[in-house]
Amino acid sequence: MTTPPALLIAGHGTRDDAGAEAFRAFVRELGLRRPDLPVAGGFIELSPPPLGEAVAELVRRGVRRFAAVPLMLVSAGHAKGDIPAALAREKERHPGLTYTYGRPLGPHPSLLRVLERRLAEAVDPSWDPAEVTVLLVGRGSTDPDANAEVFKAARLLWEGRGYAGVETAFVSLAAPDVPSGLDRCARLGARRIVVLPYFLFTGILPDRVRTQTEEWAAAHPDAEVRSADVIGPEPELLDLVLERYEEAVRGDLRMNCDSCVYRIALPGFEDKVGLPQQPHFHPDDGHHHGHGHGHAHSHSHAH
């Protein structure tokens, strides 16, 4: 019986200690869930351990093959470029190491169920869903495809659940921002609004969403506004990561290339087509060359 490939979890990274610890605790929980698998996790930037250290840990444990799963809701620059480039670099550092790369978590039905639960926790039980407008707030990206994925999640959350509407906003890098998103809800006649952060774990950005929501609510006393919690390390999330792992091991990979800014000339982003991907410079990664722009670790985008 051959040993199954190890599981490597790749995270964004956050300056928030609680958020980074939530990720590390989630990786430990995955290891408990699958004691047959060596499991390790690391970050692309901002917080320890760096992805390279997680790979080195697996190698020390005798791992020669692994499947990497990006612990990310949407496929933006990290999932499309930084992680593949970082993995290519690790392959050079550890000759004989092989890996497959899984796809981001996406608006999977099980995550939509968790979002629905977060909404139920946030609203008054007497509220009729038909009177509730949801503002789903994503991280925000300079990648149009990544932002479009948040709109897709909003639509899927709205379908069949009876809410008055599900609007979309972003906390960074993309419009509309949170106050503009709330203004839009109010202009559409919303009197009861629940702001739902489309984030896996606590962190600086979800905290900012909550603060901006409270500030807007204070300035608009005629609207009832509630803040829902982040997704969190729910059983559904553990199951989904393992589903993405199994997919990657089987080679059943379907990355979203139809509107990928690196393959298709989208208006205003034409300069990105065919751009080689560079690994992020992680300050805790002891092996870096210069600023992480070493050899041409290009991600061919032939997903």
Side-chain angles (χ1 to χ4, degrees), residues 110-234:
S110 63
L111 291 185
L112 295 172
R113 281 197 301 276
V114 180
L115 292 173
E116 197 175 4
R117 211 154 63 226
R118 294 290 175 256
L119 288 172
E121 293 159 1
V123 301
D124 193 300
S126 67
W127 289 6
D128 175 357
E131 297 175 341
V132 174
T133 299
V134 179
L135 181 65
L136 185 72
V137 181
R139 173 179 293 269
S141 170
T142 53
D143 182 337
D145 181 43
N147 296 332
E149 285 285 307
V150 182
F151 276 81
K152 180 177 180 178
R155 178 71 199 193
L156 288 169
L157 184 63
W158 180 80
E159 290 276 355
R161 288 184 175 84
Y163 300 115
V166 181
E167 295 297 313
T168 310
F170 300 97
V171 72
S172 64
L173 299 173
D177 61 12
V178 175
S180 303
L182 285 162
D183 287 344
R184 179 177 167 83
C185 293
R187 284 214 245 354
L188 289 168
R191 286 284 162 269
R192 290 175 166 164
I193 304 168
V194 184
V195 177
L196 177 62
Y198 193 45
F199 285 84
L200 293 173
F201 302 128
T202 186
I204 285 171
L205 294 179
D207 286 350
R208 190 179 299 161
V209 174
R210 189 173 285 262
T211 305
Q212 290 177 353
T213 299
E214 286 164 1
E215 287 167 356
W216 188 92
H220 298 77
D222 51 335
E224 289 186 83
V225 185
R226 302 282 175 89
S227 283
D229 282 331
V230 294
I231 290 167
E234 294 294 283

Side-chain angles (χ1 to χ4, degrees), residues 27-28 34 36 38 44 53 65 69 88-89 116 119 127-128 154 162 176 188 212 234-235 287 290 295:
V27 172
R28 289 193 292 272
R34 285 292 299 268
D36 58 316
I44 287 297
E53 200 174 290
R65 294 185 305 144
V69 174
R89 179 175 60 195
E116 197 175 4
L119 288 172
W127 289 6
D128 175 357
L188 289 168
Q212 290 177 353
E234 294 294 283
H287 304 77
H295 323 294

Side-chain angles (χ1 to χ4, degrees), residues 53-114:
E53 200 174 290
V55 173
E57 180 197 323
L58 290 174
V59 169
R60 280 196 300 276
R61 289 162 70 181
V63 166
R64 308 308 293 147
R65 294 185 305 144
F66 67 87
V69 174
L71 198 69
M72 294 166 190
L73 289 166
V74 300
S75 187
H78 282 304
K80 288 179 181 176
D82 302 325
I83 297 171
L87 293 176
R89 179 175 60 195
E90 293 311 312
K91 203 167 184 298
E92 287 184 10
R93 285 178 183 170
H94 305 283
L97 195 63
T98 60
Y99 63 88
T100 51
Y101 183 40
R103 60 187 174 133
L105 306 172
H108 192 279
S110 63
L111 291 185
L112 295 172
R113 281 197 301 276
V114 180

